[in-house]
Amino acid sequence: MKPIAEILGKTSLDRGDLIRVLEADEGECGPLLARAAVVKRSGVGGRVYLRGLIEYSNICSKDCLYCGIRSGNAAASRYEMTEEETLAAARLALERRFGSIVIQAGERDDAQFVARMERILRRIRALGGGALHVTLSLGEQSPDTYRRWLDAGAHRYLLRIEASSPDLYRKLHPEDARHSQASRLEALGALREAGYQVGTGVMIGAPFQTAADLADDLLFFRDLDVDMIGMGPYIEHPDTPLYTHALELLPPRKRLELSLRMVALLRVMMPDINIAATTAMQAIDPEGRERAIRAGANVVMPNLTPARYRHDYLLYENKPCLDQEPEESVELLEARIRESGGSIAYGEWGDSGRFLARKS
Ligand code: SAH
Ligand code: SF4
């Protein structure tokens, strides 16, 4: 078998190379982390950008088999933040000089929701005179809705493909027209067309997933020429259909290791994109996000959701920091990033270098 260092010396990694690295023993992976650190420094620099995460609502019309807030979960107690609460969270991001926020929620495409989000976006833009950049993560919408939200002030959109393999996608979702991989791909195209910085991603260590699937996911990101990626470990939720497969999964720590390896590989493959250190990494290891930063990530999303809603935005079990008020979480995070040798880029939008290069 080829040593990892020799594989990383190639100008372009192929599917076989990626599978080899993903399946390597932990002891073999030192050269991968070292290479990712070098590529990261020249591709995006040493600074970490903050996105204040606002978990706007757990009301969802879809039924993804892995997700704790799927519409079929009658045990979830549903909420939607008010406009004022959402504006207050955005104001907190401004005060903290985050430069950017992410508004995430279950998927809804009714006219009332689309119009309310449009209004919120306009108010956020007015609030900071455009000082805050906004990422949306609100699922599949029509090209018209994507355009309206962009016109109202959104800049980036995160829509994970979840699995680039059609076969795996089918196993993770109900088999109906509302959960088709083809429409998700179409939505990614519509976002690019509209002019967003486009982000996607996958869950790592999901039931039925193989190293070859993950290698194909990395190649999919490269072929799509994405601007940003958010990916993290799959974590089971007891009130979901896929929970019956919980015993077949890799142990959580291995899922985190695999996620860090995916981050490092992707950084080597795509030097100038934004890669997030995701909350699910922190759910497995309190140091998970800091480890992701060392592996190649350059974006962290401190949670700005009011504490009283956090217990209800449970995509998976053991979600961290449920009882912290937004202010506390942020202080903890700042200290941790400093400790792990990173520095925070306060007050900066942190647009994807890949996106800016494509535009120029
Ligand atoms: N409804 C939107 C955004 C909210 S869900 C959407 O689906 O795009 C955001 C992400 O949470 C999903 O893309 C999925 O990758 C992740 N997620 C859902 N359930 C999860 C689980 N059990 N473990 C890890 N990540 C999960
Ligand atoms: Fe809804 Fe997103 Fe969860 Fe799917 S992953 S059920 S679309 S919130």
Side-chain angles (χ1 to χ4, degrees), residues 60 62-64 66-67 69-71 105-107 162 313 315:
C60 187
K62 286 178 95 171
D63 227 1
C64 308
Y66 41 83
C67 178
I69 65 169
R70 63 200 297 270
S71 58
E107 185 174 309
E162 315 294 1
Y313 197 81
L315 307 175

Side-chain angles (χ1 to χ4, degrees), residues 78-93:
R78 306 288 168 173
Y79 74 89
E80 179 172 4
M81 284 171 64
T82 64
E83 272 186 50
E84 294 316 317
E85 286 169 333
T86 313
L87 265 287
R91 216 171 283 124
L92 187 60

Side-chain angles (χ1 to χ4, degrees), residues 117-127 148 151-152:
M117 193 49 64
E118 190 175 21
R119 208 162 48 234
I120 287 173
L121 287 166
R122 288 193 194 288
R123 290 186 64 187
I124 290 174
R125 185 165 55 191
L127 183 77
R148 276 174 64 185
D151 289 345

Side-chain angles (χ1 to χ4, degrees), residues 66-67 104-105 137 160 162 184 203 233-235 313 315-316:
Y66 41 83
C67 178
Q104 188 176 82
S137 176
R160 289 185 177 182
E162 315 294 1
R184 207 140 179 105
M203 290 177 293
Y234 166 79
I235 303 175
Y313 197 81
L315 307 175
Y316 44 80

Side-chain angles (χ1 to χ4, degrees), residues 140-192:
E140 291 165 47
Q141 305 287 342
S142 69
D144 181 54
T145 297
Y146 285 149
R147 267 192 301 272
R148 276 174 64 185
W149 287 344
L150 189 84
D151 289 345
H155 304 83
R156 320 180 178 115
Y157 206 102
L158 197 61
L159 185 74
R160 289 185 177 182
I161 189 68
E162 315 294 1
S164 62
S165 148
D167 187 44
L168 180 57
Y169 192 92
R170 225 171 296 120
K171 289 181 182 154
L172 300 178
H173 297 90
E175 280 199 50
D176 59 33
R178 282 193 55 73
H179 296 83
S180 100
Q181 194 201 39
S183 47
R184 207 140 179 105
L185 285 166
E186 244 171 63
L188 282 168
L191 287 166
R192 171 64 59 80

